[in-house]
Structures are given as C-alpha cells and as structure tokens.
Amino acid sequence: PLFVYLTALPLAVWNSPIGATAFVGLISTITVPLIYLLLRGQFGRLVSIAAAGLFATAPWSVLYGRHLWQPDVLPIVGVALLWALLAVIERNRSRLAVLVPVCLSLALQLNFSTLALFVPAAAVLAYRGRAVHWRALGWGVGAGVRLLAPWLAHNAKHGFRDFVALAS
C-alpha cells in the first residue's frame, strides 16, 4: 500500500497523473544527490560522483523515474537503507538501527524483489552483533511489522496467497 499512499500526496494538490509522475520524477532526482552525499564521506569524491552519475544515467532508473510503477520510489528507500546499514557498521550502538527493518518493510511494500536485501542486512547486523543497538532494532522491527499490517491482514484473510506465491 505504500505506493498508493505516496502517489496520493501529489494527487491531493494536483488531480492529474502528470502531478503524480512529476512527484516520482522529483523523488528520483532527489535520490541522485543523496547518493553522492552518502558515499562521499565513505569512499571519496570520485567514487561518489561516479555512483551518482551512473544512477542518474542508468536506463532503468531513468525509465522508472518517468512512469508510475511501484518500484519507482524504491531507490530513495534503498539509499535510506544503505545509510542506516553504514551507520550500524561505523558507529557502536547507533540508534539508526531502527531504520534497517523500517526500510526493509517499506522496500518490501514496493517490490517483492527486495526480499534479497534481507540477506545483506542480516549479515551486517550479525557482523556488528555486539555493537548493534538491539533495543532500537527491536523498535524498528515493531514499526516494520506495523507498516506491513494491512498487507499481512489481507493475506491472513485470503489464505496467505502472496506467501505461497513467494515461496514457490
């Protein structure tokens, strides 16, 4: 349901598909400098410019930035997840661990292919096990489950068809 809620924001102001498409384009455009800012401190100026440039000109990100599909806003959620994971790696007991399950929950609402992100996120949390702020992570798991509650309730009502389809 996340994509429906996000596209409702511009449609409340401008009742046209053009407004929703412009909103998605704006989110995609904002993602490019966020990638640069996030990576500059970690890997230097050259790597951050290259990554932002590659993202800005990649055919799929350009295509997704011009249409109204659920994966359209996935890059900004991915950048937020990367920021949270880098904070967990770099800082002891970072409260930003709360964002890891929240971002995974948001990403899962946008596209089921993001199930693959659970593996590296779990690897980072396991690697930094002693330095993770477990209480913040627990709050994040609670918030993530709460964000998935409408979808989980729908699946419970309909015999967990999505889960069966994902498992197969």
Side-chain angles (χ1 to χ4, degrees), residues 36-98:
Y36 172 79
L37 292 173
L38 176 66
L39 297 179
R40 187 184 67 195
Q42 307 299 318
F43 303 105
R45 188 169 166 223
L46 181 63
V47 170
S48 60
I49 288 174
L54 286 172
F55 175 75
T57 59
W60 282 110
S61 51
V62 170
L63 178 70
Y64 282 137
R66 295 181 180 177
H67 294 85
L68 286 176
W69 295 331
Q70 278 186 300
D72 293 347
V73 291
L74 193 56
I76 198 148
V77 175
V79 169
L81 176 62
L82 180 61
W83 176 53
L85 288 172
L86 286 173
V88 168
I89 288 172
E90 294 174 344
R91 301 182 213 149
N92 287 333
R93 303 197 39 83
S94 174
R95 288 192 173 103
L96 286 175
V98 73

Side-chain angles (χ1 to χ4, degrees), residues 5 39 67 75 103 107-108 117 138 141-142 157 159 164:
Y5 299 147
L39 297 179
H67 294 85
C103 289
L108 188 61
L117 293 176
V141 168
K157 188 176 181 180
V164 172

